[in-house]
Amino acid sequence: MIAAARYYLTLMSRRQTALAPLLVFVAVLGMVYASDAGPPLAAGAVPAAALVPIGAWLMWLCATCESRAFADVTLVAVGSGGRRLCARVLAVLAIGAALTTTACVWARVANPHPYPVPVVVEIAAVNLAAAVAGLGLGAMFAPPLRATAGAATLAIAAVVVLSLIVPWLPPLGPLLHAYIGVRPPSGAHAAVAIGQAALFGALLVAVAYLRGRRAG
Amino acid sequence: MRLRTVSWWFTRRAVVLDGIDLDVRAGECVVVRGLNGSGKTTLARVGAGALIPKRGQVERTARISYVPQASDNPPIRLRTDRFLSALARVRGIEASSESVDALGLRTAMRRPLNELSTGTITKVLIAAGVSGAPELLVCDEPFADLDTAARAALHELLERLRAGGTAILLTDHSDESHDFADRELLLENGKFA
């Protein structure tokens, strides 16, 4: 499984299109922290929110980084569609962890506010939960589901926009409501929102896993 | 490998495999022939485990290798040697240089996959498939796109694997596999004739 995840990471690192979501994330960080971004947690929630569509984008790229023939070879080598999905999830999760680290370091360096360790840990948790939600969303609409890139983009965008509009709809609604809507952010609210986002992603990965086992 | 009443379809009107029964025993080479669109590739994919049948049962051994048709150039800027060693790690085996030498792939080892010709890609897929002495090897038209020397090398590699007890399922258009096939089956409209 780890070898397969490393293989997917290698393929992603050789794929120029994988640079686009990374650059978008860097651009979001640059815009948020261009001047005084305000309280650390509220400021940190904005790049974290961007990690949902970016995570989905990365997952789509990971699922489409091979031609059909090579994807079949990998599938047979890994053993099942479910195991292949786990390898892809691990690969994208590793990228999500790297982006989370970037977000924490960038915030600490660029925002002129105190960043005690608990705050940094909370920002990291929000980012990781958002990345999990994003990769779950990507896993739902990526192959083996026979959706075109356009249809998958529309579906993912619809979920993201809807959860931005409806405050109780995960992954983004509760997350942004907890950190940006409530001042100062309540710890309980935040913990529930982080949990919801992570659970949302995990559930979608589970659904994709079951589908992968059936579809091969 | 054992297939029992295996069926696969796109839609109910476009049935590709229709109740296929097939056994391939250890050390046996079964060649499936058929016209374009007769279902050979789907049968190979189902046999290898790259496709789950819509109906029926498939029993396989643990160590399977699949050599698909290299009909498309992979969008992968990964060096051939790195691809082969990464795939070997995924399969939990040692990357073999024997098949690389036999197929004349030495010069292609340091080139990225997306710069190789279709024939060389086929050789790379064969080299990946035959290494590690799999218990079951499924090859989808492996002789297509190969030059004469590579065909002879593939013959030899397959013979060696069969002698070592590997069960081989081969789909083929040509007469290349006629000599060493233990059984030849004709697939017509998703059924064995």
Side-chain angles (χ1 to χ4, degrees):
Chain A
M1 188 73 72
I2 300 294
R6 279 180 58 192
Y7 171 61
Y8 279 118
L9 265 178
T10 308
L11 293 187
M12 291 280 280
S13 69
R14 301 291 194 283
R15 200 173 179 190
Q16 282 188 345
T17 45
L19 271 178
L22 305 184
L23 289 176
V24 168
F25 188 66
V26 169
V28 170
L29 284 172
M31 281 189 279
V32 169
Y33 295 110
S35 57
D36 186 345
L41 287 174
V46 179
L51 267 183
V52 174
I54 286 170
W57 191 353
L58 287 167
M59 193 65 194
W60 169 271
L61 289 174
C62 187
T64 57
C65 63
E66 299 169 289
S67 61
R68 196 187 84 173
F70 278 74
D72 278 353
V73 170
T74 314
L75 173 59
V76 173
V78 172
S80 72
R83 287 172 61 86
R84 179 175 66 179
L85 175 72
C86 290
R88 286 174 177 168
V89 165
L90 281 178
V92 176
L93 202 57
I95 301 173
L99 293 180
T100 295
T101 308
T102 308
C104 291
V105 171
W106 197 309
R108 179 73 187 78
V109 170
N111 200 11
H113 287 263
Y115 274 81
V117 174
V119 168
V120 175
V121 170
E122 191 167 342
I123 292 173
V126 177
N127 278 274
L128 268 183
V132 170
L135 70 87
L137 202 53
M140 269 302 287
F141 296 104
L145 186 76
R146 273 188 240 149
T148 61
T153 305
L154 279 178
I156 290 166
V159 174
V160 169
V161 169
L162 209 63
S163 77
L164 276 173
I165 295 168
V166 185
W168 52 263
L169 192 68
L172 286 176
L175 213 59
L176 292 179
H177 187 68
Y179 284 104
I180 297 173
V182 184
R183 291 196 186 268
S186 125
H189 258 113
V192 170
I194 291 170
Q196 278 181 336
L199 189 66
F200 173 86
L203 280 175
L204 293 186
V205 168
V207 172
Y209 178 87
L210 293 174
R211 192 185 60 202
R213 281 180 61 184
R214 287 211 314 271
Chain B
M1 183 188 72
R2 174 177 290 182
L3 272 61
R4 285 289 170 268
T5 59
V6 163
S7 298
W8 200 91
W9 56 81
F10 286 106
T11 64
R12 291 283 177 183
R13 286 183 181 178
V15 177
V16 184
L17 296 178
D18 189 6
I20 294 285
D21 289 315
L22 177 63
D23 289 286
V24 187
R25 288 177 287 275
E28 184 185 30
C29 178
V30 175
V31 175
V32 177
R33 300 185 184 283
L35 300 173
N36 289 333
S38 58
K40 297 189 301 297
T41 295
T42 305
L43 178 65
R45 293 183 77 206
V46 168
L51 201 62
I52 306 292
K54 306 264 184 175
R55 188 183 294 157
Q57 290 185 326
V58 183
E59 292 172 25
R60 295 183 207 89
T61 50
R63 287 187 294 121
I64 309 166
S65 264
Y66 178 47
V67 179
Q69 267 181 287
S71 53
D72 45 2
N73 215 18
I76 302 173
R77 280 199 60 81
L78 186 60
R79 259 172 43 177
T80 305
D81 54 349
R82 290 185 180 154
F83 165 75
L84 288 174
S85 53
L87 196 68
R89 273 198 302 273
V90 172
R91 290 174 58 203
I93 59 169
E94 288 285 320
S96 152
S97 60
E98 190 187 355
S99 51
V100 169
D101 291 331
L103 290 160
L105 270 174
R106 256 314 137 202
T107 52
M109 290 300 271
R110 299 182 83 76
R111 290 175 58 199
L113 290 168
N114 63 335
E115 289 180 7
L116 302 180
S117 69
T118 311
T120 312
I121 291 281
T122 303
K123 289 184 194 176
V124 171
L125 291 171
I126 291 169
V130 300
S131 53
E135 291 171 331
L136 169 65
L137 175 67
V138 180
C139 299
D140 188 15
E141 300 191 27
F143 293 103
D145 304 315
L146 290 187
D147 54 48
T148 315
R151 285 172 186 227
L154 177 57
H155 267 279
E156 199 175 315
L157 287 168
L158 291 176
E159 285 287 10
R160 210 178 302 164
L161 281 176
R162 181 168 60 173
T166 299
I168 301 172
L169 174 64
L170 211 73
T171 69
D172 198 18
H173 267 308
S174 65
D175 294 330
E176 293 286 339
S177 50
H178 182 72
D179 294 340
F180 66 89
D182 295 307
R183 275 190 294 149
E184 291 185 71
L185 302 166
L186 183 64
L187 197 60
E188 279 182 349
N189 299 319
K191 291 181 177 178
F192 286 130

